[in-house]
Amino acid sequence: MEDRMIRTIKHKSKSMPAGYAELVALFPLRPLHDEVDYDNALEVAEALVGSINPSEDQADYLDVLTDIIQKYESRRHNIIGRSTPLNILKLMLKEQGMRGSDLGRLLGYRPLGGAILRGERQLSKAHIRILAEHFKVSTDLFFK
């Protein structure tokens, strides 16, 4: 699985770059494609939100970054809102770079993952609890 997390940012607001170009160099402003991009964008935004006296460039950058974050959240919410629990699970697995065998290992029995993804087996309440904890989401996503 590809590890694209920026987790090295961890800047305190006072050490975030003050200039727009430096902020863009740290985290380019572009559409968010997956949860990794989303988490990284949130980390940068949180660091900037805590700034006591943000520069004009920091405020402008944060304004654009929050628009990008909101667009991603809206798009993801629309996809999840129209989807079945199985499609939601498939989306989450894809975002995490996981396959059926990974799902099976997570649930405790490797062949189970493929069977669930093919629609041959249903998720039990125990499976749903495991998935909700792993993906850090509400169990409601996996109920019809």
Side-chain angles (χ1 to χ4, degrees), residues 47-140:
L48 287 168
V49 166
S51 183
I52 296 170
N53 294 315
S55 70
E56 187 175 329
D57 284 347
Q58 286 176 327
D60 289 346
Y61 178 89
L62 182 59
D63 186 43
V64 174
L65 182 59
T66 55
D67 286 346
I68 292 169
I69 291 169
Q70 288 173 346
K71 183 176 179 183
Y72 177 81
E73 289 172 342
S74 174
R75 187 176 70 234
R76 186 163 192 265
H77 177 74
N78 286 337
I79 290 170
I80 289 174
R82 296 188 315 252
S83 292
T84 65
L86 180 58
N87 287 339
I88 291 169
L89 176 59
K90 288 177 180 179
L91 174 67
M92 290 179 172
L93 292 172
K94 182 179 178 184
E95 288 178 350
Q96 295 277 319
M98 296 174 67
R99 297 163 47 155
S101 58
D102 299 316
L103 173 62
R105 278 191 291 277
L106 178 65
L107 299 177
Y109 182 59
R110 189 170 177 225
L112 179 62
I116 289 171
L117 294 176
R118 289 187 301 274
E120 298 168 1
R121 294 279 308 269
Q122 298 294 314
L123 291 171
S124 70
K125 290 180 183 177
H127 296 150
I128 290 171
R129 278 193 290 279
I130 291 168
L131 292 171
E133 184 177 316
H134 177 79
F135 291 111
K136 296 179 181 22
V137 296
S138 170
T139 56
D140 295 343

